[in-house]
Amino acid sequence: MSGLFEEIHEQPAADVPTRRVSITVNGDKRVAQVEPRLLLAHLLRQGLKLTGTHTGCDTTNCGACTVLFDGKPIKSCTMLAVQADGHEVTTVEGLAGASELHPIQEGFKDEHGLQCGFCTPGMMLAAKALLEENPDPTEDEVRWALSGNLCRCTGYQNIVKSVMWAAKKMQAQSAS
Amino acid sequence: MTTQARDEIKIGGLGASRKRVEDNRFIRGKGNYVDDIVLPGMLHMEILRSPLAHARIVSIDTSKAWAIPGVRLVLTGEMMATRNLAWMPTLSYDTQAVLATDKVRFQGQEVACVIADDPYIAKDACEAIVVEYEALPVIVNPTQALADGAPLIRDDKENQHDNVVFDWEVGDRDGTERAFAQADLVSKLELHYPRSHPSPMECCGSIADFDRSTSKLTVYMTTQAPHIIRAAVALVAELPEHMIRIVSPDLGGGFGNKVPVYPGYVMSILASILLERPVKWIEDKTGNLISTGFARDIYLKGELALRKDGKILGVRMHTDSDHGAFFSDAQPSKFKIGLMHSAFSCYDIPSAHLTARGVYTNKAPGGVAYRCSFRVTEAMYFQERMVQAAADDLGMDQAEFRRRNFVRDDDFPHRTPFGFLTDSGQYGKCLQVGLEAIGYEDFLKQKEEAKSRGRLLGIGISTMTEPLGAGNSREYDILGIKMFDSAELRVHMTGKAILRTGAKTQGQGHETTWAQIVAHELGIPADDIVVEEGDTDTAPFGMGTYASRSTPVAGAAVAMVSRKVRAKARKLAAHLLEVSEEDIEWELGRFYVRSSPETGVSIQDCAYAAYSNMPDGMEPGLENVAYYDPPNLTWPFACYIATVEVDPQTGVWDVLRFVAVDDCGVRINPMVVEGQIMGGLTEAYAMASMQFITFDAQGNCIGSNYMDYLLPTAWETPGWELHEVVTPCPHHPIGAKGIGECATVGGPAAFVNAVLDAIKDTGVRNIDMPLLPDRVYEAITQRHDVSGAPPVKMDDHD
């Protein structure tokens, strides 16, 4: 319960089974009772109120719903919430530290890597997974790593620049 | 307080590549899109769509859906009809079914909807509805629609005896005939601009919230034009306009897809009124792709009358456009085929004639202006393909042919072949910048050299000027409402301000750029100005954002309201400086005494005085509102040049380089402008290369999800090289022109021309878009043109 009072929906019919899942989301352990068919994206958005994860295409194509699952980028619109039981999930809300933005977030703002912002959370998480594996990528490597995420506004050129900007900053940070 | 003039770039004024303020929430995942909004007690709506493209509805049995726990309401067309809401008017003076009553007319048409406690239950219940259909013959293209004995799609309309939506013409028929009689050569081309879907990443959706206790209806929805929606709801739902509040929150892209009124919006409104609870409808991607605003789908027969020396004497065009089952073009011109006749505006051609015919088919309603101004994309594509073919037919260099026909820089204002008035342009210079950037002469040599080694290189040019910024109220309206825009500026006592406009950003960055215009006009730092849009209860009336009209119209209103505020600030300054108004001069952010320039007051001083120390008799406060009706459209122009390599073994083609030279006049924020151009170029590349929605003979939509409807990823998308020419718009207050869609409009022809140039030796004159590898391969190996519109025989229905 999130407050002193909240409306409780009618119990689901007795023949609808539910499962208890425990997922570490952005470092916090969250426990929920879910229908087995509930998608992870919907648990994050509606259940946990983390609306930064967007659903774009429902078919694993657009990548707006990309989150990190034990550090790897996955599309949360085609993973069931029960499959995430016992795992770690990072969403866009978990990117920034307490006081400062992640270099990838700074890079997207600095290089104008977003317009409508709808694909941005997924793009940034896919970029994070890349930079953790490959801190000094070439432009082609960035393009390939982001090819599971669609953007309709930017034409990608500035997204690539944003990720290169972040890579540079992260390297400088780790050097110091 | 400082009284020095401001450095415009430092305060984020005109010309500053100011970082975007809206990004602060988007990069944190704190955007507020319609699906992010949760209201107390909210229910969820899902739509049941027709699997057939043309069928009579025999019966609809909803009993099993009602029986599912958690279902609150099931709506059918019959129930909508009892409230006179089964049909609604379109923006093109036609009618469109909200929920089908008599028959379904395209695959994906709305047949019923369910409102339930959660979206999963609503979806289950939709599947429990049993609809019995009686299939009817299906029409999927104009040839079938116009055939003798074709089934009548719109039998609901009185006096509609065929499938023709309109027959329309413009231009000088006789003069054009005379031009063709004098021609040394007539260059002919038949083209198809295929259907395309704008497909913003975010689908459409709404949350309707009717409050019985106040009689107020609030609708949060994905709309590019909230005030038009308020007017439409007032007309359709017969609710008083002051009791309707439309809120357009953050939009995940629009590209024209979010201009029309869709049945889902109407159903969610009625459901909320009936249930007295908020009702949320969020469309899925397939629903979006198969039922909402398509674009293009138009066939051209084009002819150019040519003199041997390369002069174009006349142009003749005939178009057949496929509008789907309902004529719901969201376009405000008085012309049936939009601004198709803006074609050839950058060329000096004595005579032109266009005939246009629109037809109904069993496809989703089309005619949405997908990142363009109402058929301008088709117009410029046809133009530049015809120009290329004509140059080839004459055996003339494609750049030289354009140069010989351009309107000269000193020939403005210029009446275009079809009668528009252009006011400025430097087309030759624009082309020259592009040719130099790409290294034209060198590439031609490279191309010849590559040919000797069996490689196919090509270069394609596209030059154009297009009319952006509908409109002026003499010529443009939507349902009679004139096309102006507005801005309201309130300067607070500390010199900070809030600006509201009737436009609605979908990623264009208004929150950043509007503040820059105010900073330019008033010297208030852009960071001190907050911009709000999208709420009809607070924003002044405006016609919304599409057709690249925001900078030409709303942006002009922002400048004008700032000037009104400055005029009052001047009076306050005179009072503070104890001189007469005539003795005061203005420099950015500061008024000073002409005879004593070091004596002055800042705009912030004036703001404080407006609340604390106004002269006797002056109305307190420092705020105003401006409505702006532009005297003309703005005419940006561009030159796009692509170089490609075609693989003769597979038909695959790669973009080697792409140079874009855009002239959008004064650039408010160069970073944002370049972002718009690169986004537009990518959509141009998408249409030229892969983006393809077609239909089989039964009217099944092929391309109903992102596995079939291919959008380019970062991997395929070429790199873009941007250049500029600056010709300020003579009538816009800050000299700016529209830019959002130029690249989408002018870009496609550059790619197609380049591929055709690469395979010119085959004698192939046309391949219709998208230039899929199999089409290019067929052209190379079979040495014939490849049409994207194979005729579908009527007996294919059997």
Side-chain angles (χ1 to χ4, degrees):
Chain A
M1 200 159 98
S2 56
L4 285 173
F5 173 84
E6 75 179 23
E7 186 182 346
I8 297 168
H9 283 288
E10 231 177 291
Q11 285 297 314
D15 59 343
V16 177
T18 60
R19 281 273 298 275
R20 191 182 147 95
V21 295
S22 169
I23 308 172
T24 303
V25 181
N26 300 330
D28 294 330
K29 191 171 163 188
R30 310 292 293 263
V31 180
Q33 195 75 19
V34 302
E35 278 191 45
R37 65 174 177 169
L38 184 73
L39 297 173
L40 177 59
H42 293 159
L43 174 67
L44 293 170
R45 288 182 51 76
Q46 278 109 48
L48 306 183
K49 315 269 188 282
L50 295 169
T51 53
T53 301
H54 302 139
T55 52
C57 71
D58 324 296
T59 49
T60 329
N61 289 89
C62 80
C65 65
T66 303
V67 298
L68 298 184
F69 185 77
D70 296 337
K72 300 280 178 208
I74 58 116
K75 291 172 178 175
S76 61
C77 79
T78 25
M79 178 177 265
L80 298 168
V82 291
Q83 291 175 284
D85 188 23
H87 292 271
E88 283 186 23
V89 170
T90 306
T91 70
V92 63
E93 290 88 348
L95 260 185
S99 59
E100 59 179 34
L101 294 172
H102 190 281
I104 294 174
Q105 292 171 305
E106 290 181 276
F108 270 71
K109 178 167 177 178
D110 204 75
E111 294 287 357
H112 189 29
L114 64 147
Q115 290 180 25
C116 81
F118 201 76
C119 75
T120 312
M123 282 287 178
M124 292 194 301
L125 289 164
K128 183 166 191 277
L130 167 72
L131 295 184
E132 275 167 14
E133 207 176 276
N134 179 0
D136 188 19
T138 63
E139 189 187 311
D140 267 1
E141 284 168 340
V142 173
R143 284 184 178 268
W144 184 249
L146 298 182
S147 63
N149 294 69
L150 294 173
C151 169
R152 206 62 173 144
C153 298
T154 64
Y156 301 107
Q157 195 150 310
N158 283 351
I159 290 180
V160 175
K161 279 190 189 168
S162 304
V163 178
M164 302 295 269
W165 189 100
K168 216 167 161 187
K169 172 146 189 189
M170 287 163 75
Q171 283 175 58
Q173 279 175 345
S174 61
S176 63
Chain B
M1 196 175 280
T2 174
T3 56
Q4 294 304 303
R6 306 283 195 168
D7 177 334
E8 172 133 15
I9 298 297
K10 277 192 190 149
I11 64 164
L14 218 53
S17 281
R18 182 182 182 226
K19 305 301 175 201
R20 301 199 326 162
V21 292
E22 44 272 83
D23 290 358
N24 294 331
R25 61 178 185 277
F26 292 139
I27 57 175
R28 289 174 170 85
K30 297 291 182 193
N32 188 37
Y33 304 92
V34 70
D35 194 24
D36 300 341
I37 297 169
V38 175
L39 300 179
M42 189 171 77
L43 301 171
H44 298 266
M45 185 181 104
E46 288 286 335
I47 295 172
L48 176 70
R49 300 178 181 282
S50 168
L52 299 178
H54 199 194
R56 200 159 297 288
I57 296 175
V58 179
S59 64
I60 303 179
D61 179 358
T62 59
S63 56
K64 288 201 179 93
W66 280 104
I68 292 173
V71 169
R72 305 284 172 159
L73 182 66
V74 183
L75 283 175
T76 61
E78 203 180 326
M79 293 161 74
M80 299 294 282
T82 64
R83 298 196 162 239
N84 205 21
L85 283 174
W87 291 81
M88 62 180 182
T90 72
L91 298 175
S92 286
Y93 301 93
D94 194 2
T95 50
Q96 174 173 0
V98 177
L99 281 175
T101 47
D102 49 345
K103 62 179 188 177
V104 289
R105 291 172 173 83
F106 67 91
Q107 185 190 51
Q109 190 180 336
E110 298 81 359
V111 174
C113 75
V114 174
I115 293 91
D117 287 351
D118 78 45
Y120 286 58
I121 296 173
K123 210 153 220 164
D124 286 345
C126 278
E127 289 183 11
I129 297 171
V130 181
V131 186
E132 192 187 335
Y133 296 101
E134 179 191 311
L136 297 168
V138 175
I139 288 172
V140 294
N141 62 35
T143 311
Q144 292 176 332
L146 296 168
D148 285 341
L152 186 62
I153 295 171
R154 296 301 302 275
D155 51 354
D156 57 293
K157 294 177 77 175
E158 271 179 55
N159 304 321
Q160 179 80 39
H161 305 297
D162 55 23
N163 293 316
V164 175
V165 184
F166 60 78
D167 250 318
W168 190 78
E169 70 177 310
V170 65
D172 174 6
R173 182 188 288 266
D174 296 341
T176 306
E177 255 170 44
R178 284 195 296 276
F180 275 82
Q182 290 164 8
D184 295 322
L185 180 73
V186 174
S187 174
K188 298 184 182 187
L189 205 55
E190 292 193 14
L191 301 170
H192 180 222
Y193 204 128
R195 266 204 176 209
S196 200
H197 196 286
S199 196
M201 297 313 299
E202 178 203 35
C203 301
C204 296
S206 55
I207 304 169
D209 181 15
F210 180 69
D211 184 338
R212 177 71 64 199
S213 68
T214 59
S215 298
K216 182 131 185 172
L217 172 71
T218 303
V219 190
Y220 303 86
M221 64 190 284
T222 48
T223 178
Q224 298 174 223
H227 284 95
I228 298 180
I229 297 288
R230 183 178 70 184
V233 171
L235 297 171
V236 175
E238 294 180 352
L239 291 169
E241 199 175 354
H242 66 303
M243 286 294 158
I244 303 165
R245 177 185 172 211
I246 306 296
V247 182
S248 186
D250 286 330
L251 295 182
F255 314 116
N257 184 241
K258 292 170 181 168
V259 175
V261 182
Y262 293 123
Y265 301 147
V266 179
M267 288 182 260
S268 68
I269 290 169
L270 179 65
S272 180
I273 291 171
L274 293 174
L275 295 166
E276 298 185 21
R277 287 182 55 179
V279 173
K280 178 190 264 189
W281 164 60
I282 300 296
E283 188 177 58
D284 61 20
K285 188 59 77 185
T286 295
N288 181 254
L289 285 171
I290 68 176
S291 75
T292 65
F294 283 89
R296 332 289 192 232
D297 210 350
I298 182 162
Y299 299 77
L300 169 83
K301 286 193 175 90
E303 293 176 284
L304 286 177
L306 303 167
R307 212 165 56 193
K308 263 187 293 200
D309 63 357
K311 173 77 188 153
I312 305 173
L313 301 175
V315 54
R316 196 147 54 193
M317 300 166 79
H318 172 78
T319 61
D320 280 308
S321 47
D322 179 336
H323 296 264
F326 308 107
F327 182 35
S328 63
D329 283 23
Q331 69 110 345
S333 77
K334 302 203 183 310
F335 321 116
K336 288 291 183 190
I337 196 67
L339 305 179
M340 177 63 76
H341 57 305
S342 64
F344 296 96
S345 290
C346 69
Y347 299 110
D348 187 12
I349 302 175
S351 59
H353 186 242
L354 163 74
T355 52
R357 182 167 47 185
V359 299
Y360 289 118
T361 60
N362 290 117
K363 288 148 83 174
V368 152
Y370 164 21
R371 205 166 182 158
C372 81
S373 291
F374 330 116
R375 306 288 180 186
V376 168
T377 310
E378 294 97 309
M380 298 309 155
Y381 177 72
F382 293 159
Q383 164 195 308
E384 285 307 293
R385 291 286 300 107
M386 286 167 68
V387 163
Q388 170 82 20
D392 287 348
D393 291 349
L394 283 165
M396 190 175 280
D397 174 78
Q398 53 177 317
E400 179 57 23
F401 179 65
R402 285 178 169 85
R403 230 178 263 127
R404 285 192 192 184
N405 287 288
F406 276 151
V407 176
R408 292 192 325 272
D409 297 357
D410 58 1
D411 196 12
F412 291 100
H414 181 82
R415 191 60 73 180
T416 74
F418 287 104
F420 288 94
L421 196 65
T422 52
D423 49 33
S424 56
Q426 302 183 71
Y427 310 139
K429 180 180 173 187
C430 189
L431 173 63
Q432 197 52 36
V433 170
L435 293 174
E436 280 168 20
I438 202 88
Y440 187 62
E441 300 299 333
D442 283 347
F443 185 83
L444 294 183
K445 283 183 207 138
Q446 259 183 56
K447 185 182 142 185
E448 284 312 307
E449 195 202 18
K451 197 180 351 180
S452 64
R453 286 181 283 116
R455 290 174 59 199
L456 301 177
L457 304 191
I459 186 163
I461 301 176
S462 175
T463 51
M464 56 105 202
T465 185
E466 58 157 329
L468 290 187
N472 54 74
S473 65
R474 280 169 287 116
E475 287 170 318
Y476 301 90
D477 65 63
I478 290 182
L479 301 176
I481 305 161
K482 304 291 191 182
M483 300 290 290
F484 54 83
D485 242 308
S486 63
E488 178 202 89
L489 178 64
R490 294 183 178 174
V491 184
H492 310 314
M493 67 183 77
T494 56
K496 317 290 183 191
I498 180 167
L499 175 88
R500 294 188 172 113
T501 86
K504 174 60 206 169
T505 190
Q506 310 128 41
Q508 294 91 336
H510 294 175
E511 289 168 58
T512 303
T513 53
W514 289 164
Q516 293 183 249
I517 299 176
V518 179
H520 169 70
E521 294 291 339
L522 286 178
I524 296 175
D527 287 345
D528 289 351
I529 301 150
V530 68
V531 174
E532 258 188 28
E533 290 181 342
D535 183 338
T536 57
D537 265 11
T538 55
F541 188 90
M543 294 301 271
T545 294
Y546 41 87
S548 292
R549 63 187 300 278
S550 287
T551 290
V553 192
V558 173
M560 299 315 273
V561 76
S562 302
R563 289 174 192 182
K564 283 184 173 179
V565 164
R566 195 170 71 205
K568 179 164 183 186
R570 173 183 287 270
K571 293 187 196 309
L572 288 157
H575 173 65
L576 292 174
L577 294 166
E578 298 179 340
V579 292
S580 86
E581 232 187 291
E582 293 70 43
D583 297 332
I584 284 183
E585 292 287 333
W586 166 258
E587 58 186 354
L588 191 65
R590 178 176 184 262
F591 293 101
Y592 62 91
V593 180
R594 186 178 303 121
S595 57
S596 167
E598 70 283 359
T599 310
V601 290
S602 69
I603 186 75
Q604 287 82 1
D605 295 333
C606 298
Y608 190 65
Y611 291 81
S612 63
N613 178 20
M614 61 294 257
D616 288 345
M618 180 189 276
E619 195 180 350
L622 189 59
E623 60 184 70
N624 219 314
V625 59
Y627 287 79
Y628 187 78
D629 182 6
N632 192 2
L633 298 155
T634 68
W635 292 87
F637 54 91
C639 166
Y640 303 114
I641 306 181
T643 57
V644 301
E645 173 157 12
V646 178
D647 179 352
Q649 308 300 319
T650 61
V652 170
W653 52 279
D654 287 319
V655 178
L656 302 173
R657 285 180 65 200
F658 195 100
V659 164
V661 188
D662 281 276
D663 187 323
C664 60
V666 172
R667 297 185 173 197
I668 300 163
N669 180 325
M671 176 191 82
V672 167
V673 168
E674 291 184 1
Q676 291 287 302
I677 294 168
M678 290 190 282
L681 288 172
T682 305
E683 297 199 47
Y685 172 68
M687 284 181 277
S689 65
M690 63 181 80
Q691 208 166 275
F692 190 35
I693 283 196
T694 188
F695 295 80
D696 69 11
Q698 282 72 45
N700 293 305
C701 177
I702 314 295
S704 62
N705 58 63
Y706 281 170
M707 282 174 279
D708 297 326
Y709 188 55
L710 300 182
L711 310 185
T713 73
W715 185 246
E716 296 89 25
T717 302
W720 310 116
E721 301 171 39
L722 307 186
H723 299 265
E724 67 175 330
V725 172
V726 180
T727 315
C729 172
H731 61 75
H732 188 278
I734 56 168
K737 301 183 258 192
I739 185 60
E741 50 203 42
C742 294
T744 313
V745 169
F751 295 105
V752 177
N753 285 345
V755 171
L756 289 167
D757 183 55
I759 64 167
K760 196 148 99 182
D761 289 351
T762 59
V764 171
R765 291 175 85 245
N766 183 47
I767 306 172
D768 277 334
M769 294 192 293
L771 268 57
L772 304 168
D774 61 314
R775 291 188 181 183
V776 178
Y777 183 75
E778 181 184 334
I780 296 170
T781 52
Q782 310 290 314
R783 293 178 174 258
H784 61 211
D785 289 8
V786 181
S787 167
V792 181
K793 290 194 258 34
M794 291 300 285
D795 52 18
D796 283 358
H797 301 302
D798 302 329

